[in-house]
Amino acid sequence: MRRVIPLKTLSLVSGGRALIELDQLPGQHYLKSILFTVPLTMLQNAAPAAVLPRTFNRIVDSLKIGRRVALTGQALDVMNWLMTGRDQSATAYITAGAGTFDRVVNLGLSFSDPTAYEPDDTAAAVELFRDTPLEVGFGSLATIFPSFTGAGSVTPGGFQALAVIEKGAPGKVATPVQLDVVDITADSRLDPGVYTHLGIFKEDGTAITSAEVTGLTVIIDGTPVIDNATLPQLAALFNLLKSDGAAPSSYSTTTPFATIPGENVTDQPGGAAAAGATISAEFLPILFPSHAGKLTKAWACPTGIRIKYSGSGTGLRVVSRRVEPVSDAQVVKAAAKMNLRPPTTITAKTASKAGVAPGSLAELVLPKRVS
């Protein structure tokens, strides 16, 4: 049975930091995801400017859980889009006009993979989080919303975290995930690991144009898995293979507001006459599983990943999700934290209940069942 547990409510202080302890979660459950939500009342001053939806993600400047999670709000949004095929945290636009606006910012951190064949293979037992609080850093509201300073203001309500947990069969040690953000240049390397998702974005939330990335190559162990693909091609491939909708998010900043949520990544030029051929994508989807994807189909990268791109783009970042193989010794340690008896048998948990080959990728990345 799924449960939603309210965690600590924080006062959002511009540029501040705070901790959210996870030790109050009830035992014998698995942590699927955490939703962060905060209402804002915003008075725009006499020199108004439109505020785009992705700007709001920057309210969360940093989010850390031990060594496994080190993200920003913008990276959270991109990762959710990669994982689900749609933009779940698109906040409504604010027009270029003075006045008072109310908005709610929602950002989700998922440990489960919602569209995977076995979504909860990576949802760890809550007991494993009890010694590791969640650290939140907030961005500068004056920097994020410059047209709301002076005669204007931004008044946040309580910053609330909601944990989504589910009771499951005892004895499962989930496959750990690691979520990271890395700055890249035109020729960069990422650490070794088994990657399930990878995307490229800009921290300020602005789009990446087809002039900034004219071609991109991804090399794993000397083999190109993406070979000089263009930005429109990368966007169109995501829309073909993963997107859970049929339209991009609306860019209208005038009344009436369009209500099209972010689904497809933009893969077309502007629609107006003389708009030009440049295409602006919200982010670049690089590695992602198809619907009902399996951990055994992830990208194993024992020597890391090399990313090369051509074009004028600067200030690009990678957000990645990796799964970590767990040794038998680590399984025993995790079982002790879960208050299980010392295991006598450790096996890979498979949907078919069949065994896996020793030393195979399946043995490394699938969750473990202890008895």
Side-chain angles (χ1 to χ4, degrees):
M1 179 178 66
R2 188 177 67 210
R3 298 174 61 186
V4 178
I5 307 295
L7 300 173
K8 182 189 292 183
T9 300
L10 303 175
S11 296
L12 196 163
V13 177
S14 179
R17 310 186 74 81
L19 294 178
I20 299 176
E21 294 81 6
L22 301 175
D23 57 359
Q24 69 267 45
L25 294 174
Q28 300 182 353
H29 286 77
Y30 295 94
L31 181 58
K32 297 169 68 73
S33 58
I34 301 175
L35 172 67
F36 305 97
T37 181
V38 58
L40 303 174
T41 298
M42 310 176 70
L43 174 62
Q44 187 148 238
N45 66 25
V51 181
L52 303 183
R54 300 177 69 76
T55 303
F56 291 92
N57 299 329
R58 297 168 59 197
I59 284 177
V60 176
D61 183 66
S62 66
L63 182 70
K64 295 183 179 180
I65 304 178
R67 70 173 184 85
R68 297 197 183 278
V69 177
L71 295 174
T72 64
Q74 207 68 262
L76 274 176
D77 179 63
V78 170
M79 182 53 65
N80 269 321
W81 202 335
L82 269 173
M83 294 177 74
T84 65
R86 61 188 186 278
D87 188 1
Q88 300 182 61
S89 59
T91 307
Y93 283 89
I94 292 180
T95 60
T100 300
F101 301 84
D102 286 283
R103 297 291 184 266
V104 177
V105 182
N106 296 304
L107 285 168
L109 168 63
S110 289
F111 295 97
S112 297
D113 183 352
T115 69
Y117 184 76
E118 292 283 351
D120 293 333
D121 276 354
T122 51
V126 298
E127 289 86 354
L128 301 181
F129 294 92
R130 285 185 171 165
D131 298 331
T132 311
L134 193 156
E135 305 174 49
V136 183
F138 298 114
S140 166
L141 298 180
T143 301
I144 299 170
F145 306 111
S147 64
F148 290 84
T149 58
S153 63
V154 178
T155 305
F159 183 88
Q160 175 78 72
L162 302 169
V164 180
I165 63 174
E166 191 163 42
K167 201 170 185 67
K172 183 194 82 172
V173 177
T175 305
V177 295
Q178 186 165 352
L179 297 158
D180 286 308
V181 173
V182 178
D183 295 310
I184 62 168
T185 60
D187 191 349
S188 297
R189 295 194 60 154
L190 304 182
D191 289 341
V194 180
Y195 286 77
T196 63
H197 299 77
L198 190 150
I200 298 175
F201 70 104
K202 288 184 181 178
E203 191 60 56
D204 64 1
T206 57
I208 303 173
T209 71
S210 50
E212 292 176 310
V213 176
T214 56
L216 183 137
T217 297
V218 176
I219 300 171
I220 296 176
D221 291 343
T223 302
V225 296
I226 297 175
D227 195 356
N228 200 33
T230 65
L231 178 145
Q233 290 168 346
L234 291 168
L237 283 167
F238 179 80
N239 296 339
L240 172 68
L241 299 173
K242 185 71 173 186
S243 177
D244 199 30
S249 56
S250 169
Y251 282 97
S252 172
T253 56
T254 58
T255 303
F257 291 105
T259 57
I260 302 173
E263 297 171 333
N264 281 0
V265 175
T266 300
D267 59 6
Q268 295 290 323
T278 300
I279 294 174
S280 298
E282 295 82 354
F283 75 100
L284 288 186
I286 307 301
L287 302 180
F288 51 89
S290 58
H291 288 278
K294 298 181 179 181
L295 284 179
T296 52
K297 300 295 185 181
W299 287 264
C301 310
T303 60
I305 297 179
R306 186 179 181 188
I307 298 176
K308 299 171 60 179
Y309 70 86
S310 55
S312 62
T314 59
L316 302 184
R317 311 192 83 187
V318 161
V319 58
S320 67
R321 181 179 185 266
R322 288 179 281 171
V323 293
E324 295 187 0
V326 180
S327 67
D328 285 355
Q330 291 171 308
V331 171
V332 171
K333 186 177 179 180
K337 285 189 173 183
M338 296 164 63
N339 299 315
L340 301 175
R341 290 181 298 177
T344 58
T345 304
I346 299 173
T347 56
K349 178 183 176 295
T350 61
S352 65
K353 306 292 193 284
V356 298
S360 64
L361 180 63
E363 184 183 54
L364 291 174
V365 302
L366 289 176
K368 302 299 187 291
R369 190 178 298 283
V370 299
S371 57

